[in-house]
Amino acid sequence: MAIDFKQDILAPVASDFAAMDTFINEGITSKVALVMAVSKHVVEAGGKRMRPIMCLLAAKACGATDLERQRKLAAIIEMLHTATLVHDDVVDESSLRRGRPTANATWNNQTAVLVGDFLISRAFDLLVDLNDMTLLKDFSTGTCEIAEGEVLQLQAQHQPETTEQTYLDIIHGKTSRLFELATEGAAILAGTPEYREPLRTFAGHFGNAFQIIDDILDYTSDAETLGKNIGDDLMEGKPTLPLISALQKTTDQEHEIVRLSIATGGTAQLDRVIEIVQNCGALDYCRQRATEETQAALQALDALPESEYRQALINLTQLALNRIQ
């Protein structure tokens, strides 16, 4: 049976979600008109708001009934997520995100970097209002690790000898960490510390699966569906899992083509590299890894009591994996 995002994932927290969305827009008000304009542009270009939805579902799965504080937390998470995207787009010199012009393309790098700074600062400003030291500590440590993940990715650029473990370290910081903050933060605010660990484990594996799937789609999708240009990661010489796996599964000329494309970046050999990755079994390996991470995520949810909210988290995890079926 096909999982429907609105019905099977969003519905159980729909009213809290709407209130959270309003709070985001109030949160990004600024005396400086340009800050407002850019913040609005990037927040509206947001995707499915998966992290805040996960935060609200996790809160309800922990048994929380009044979600006022979790709504604020969910909004803060989305602001942090948006800030990291704005900075990523500058670093990657991207002109498109989800099919829309990026902030750096619409304005310029300086504006995008500074508004990204504003969004991070604003998120922490609002986080302090929640008046929970455990939560604040979790988030300040977590955001450091997110930044470290991005730097680690930069460091691995053009390095064909990057291992799968390094790749996992990168995506833990870059992608999984914010999912962990979203779910673990919900447990902290719900006053159910016993669910912190299982929810964090769930979100960590979910984030890993999510990123691996994204990296697979880079080779199997088209720019329309992807919202960014095919081969973007390749052009930047980012050693993603499909490439790391292709290097292990190829020899001689094919191996050299893949190695060189990571080392030099650029898209001179793009079609050839895509062909090699698709034919050498690398994508099958990546699908297997994404499935393993998904199973580990679902297993962690067993620690939570049965509820429609836990089921919605399961549905979300299945839906993310279905993108490569």
Side-chain angles (χ1 to χ4, degrees):
M1 189 199 86
I3 296 166
D4 177 65
F5 185 78
K6 268 200 166 123
Q7 205 40 54
D8 301 323
I9 295 162
L10 183 57
V13 286
S15 58
D16 289 302
F17 180 78
M20 184 267 320
D21 227 28
T22 315
F23 188 73
I24 291 180
N25 289 316
E26 287 167 12
I28 57 176
T29 48
S30 163
K31 297 183 287 290
V32 180
L34 183 60
V35 169
M36 277 285 286
V38 182
S39 298
K40 244 185 155 34
H41 172 88
V42 294
V43 166
E44 279 167 9
K48 284 203 173 83
R49 301 251 198 276
M50 222 167 35
R51 290 154 194 81
I53 289 172
M54 208 180 248
C55 176
L56 296 170
L57 286 172
K60 291 249 185 173
C62 287
T65 45
D66 174 24
L67 257 56
E68 193 197 349
R69 299 175 78 206
Q70 274 101 344
R71 289 199 293 262
K72 288 184 176 166
L73 182 65
I76 288 163
I77 285 159
E78 188 63 13
M79 287 165 76
L80 278 174
H81 176 54
T82 306
T84 59
L85 297 186
V86 175
H87 282 168
D88 285 355
D89 288 338
V90 173
V91 171
D92 296 341
E93 299 171 13
S94 304
S95 55
L96 276 188
R97 178 172 290 275
R98 305 198 184 97
R100 284 184 50 158
T102 54
N104 45 299
T106 308
W107 287 275
N108 54 33
N109 282 349
Q110 294 96 314
T111 309
V113 168
L114 296 172
V115 172
D117 290 346
F118 166 79
L119 285 168
I120 293 170
S121 310
R122 190 77 185 102
F124 271 91
D125 192 25
L126 295 166
L127 197 57
V128 173
D129 292 339
L130 290 174
N131 201 16
D132 187 309
M133 211 53 188
T134 311
L135 187 70
L136 195 54
K137 181 63 184 161
D138 200 26
F139 268 74
S140 42
T141 311
T143 39
C144 288
E145 289 170 353
I146 290 167
E148 285 171 339
E150 290 293 347
V151 176
L152 205 55
Q153 174 168 267
L154 203 57
Q155 219 182 345
Q157 228 171 337
H158 302 302
Q159 304 289 330
E161 52 287 340
T162 304
T163 60
E164 180 171 336
Q165 187 51 56
T166 302
Y167 167 82
L168 287 171
D169 292 342
I170 290 169
I171 69 171
H172 177 256
K174 186 179 86 134
T175 304
S176 309
R177 199 64 191 92
L178 198 55
F179 283 117
E180 290 177 354
L181 289 173
T183 55
E184 203 182 347
I188 293 169
L189 282 183
T192 51
E194 66 275 21
Y195 296 140
R196 274 181 70 175
E197 195 49 46
L199 277 170
R200 180 182 177 147
T201 306
F202 155 71
H205 289 297
F206 175 93
N208 287 353
F210 190 79
Q211 187 59 56
I212 293 169
I213 292 162
D214 256 11
D215 291 342
I216 294 170
L217 290 175
D218 218 17
Y219 291 89
T220 57
S221 196
D222 52 66
E224 274 305 277
T225 326
L226 216 53
K228 66 170 187 172
N229 301 316
I230 294 286
D232 267 2
D233 288 341
L234 196 61
M235 195 168 73
E236 291 154 24
K238 284 183 189 168
T240 57
L241 194 58
L243 291 173
I244 293 170
S245 176
L247 282 175
Q248 288 177 332
K249 293 182 184 296
T250 52
T251 52
D252 309 336
Q253 193 199 0
E254 291 193 334
H255 182 86
E256 193 47 33
I257 289 172
V258 177
R259 201 191 64 79
L260 212 61
S261 70
I262 298 174
T264 58
T267 48
Q269 294 269 21
L270 179 63
D271 293 340
R272 189 78 184 90
V273 173
I274 290 175
E275 191 187 330
I276 293 168
V277 169
Q278 285 175 346
N279 293 336
C280 74
L283 294 179
D284 291 330
Y285 174 73
C286 293
R287 285 188 191 99
Q288 179 203 325
R289 287 292 295 112
T291 307
E292 287 166 8
E293 291 289 343
T294 300
Q295 281 159 350
L298 293 173
Q299 209 177 336
L301 286 176
D302 288 346
L304 271 75
E306 221 175 299
S307 68
E308 61 172 317
Y309 310 108
R310 185 184 79 168
Q311 187 55 48
L313 287 172
I314 293 170
N315 295 342
L316 178 60
T317 310
Q318 298 285 15
L319 189 69
L321 186 67
N322 289 346
R323 295 182 301 159
I324 53 163
Q325 300 304 2

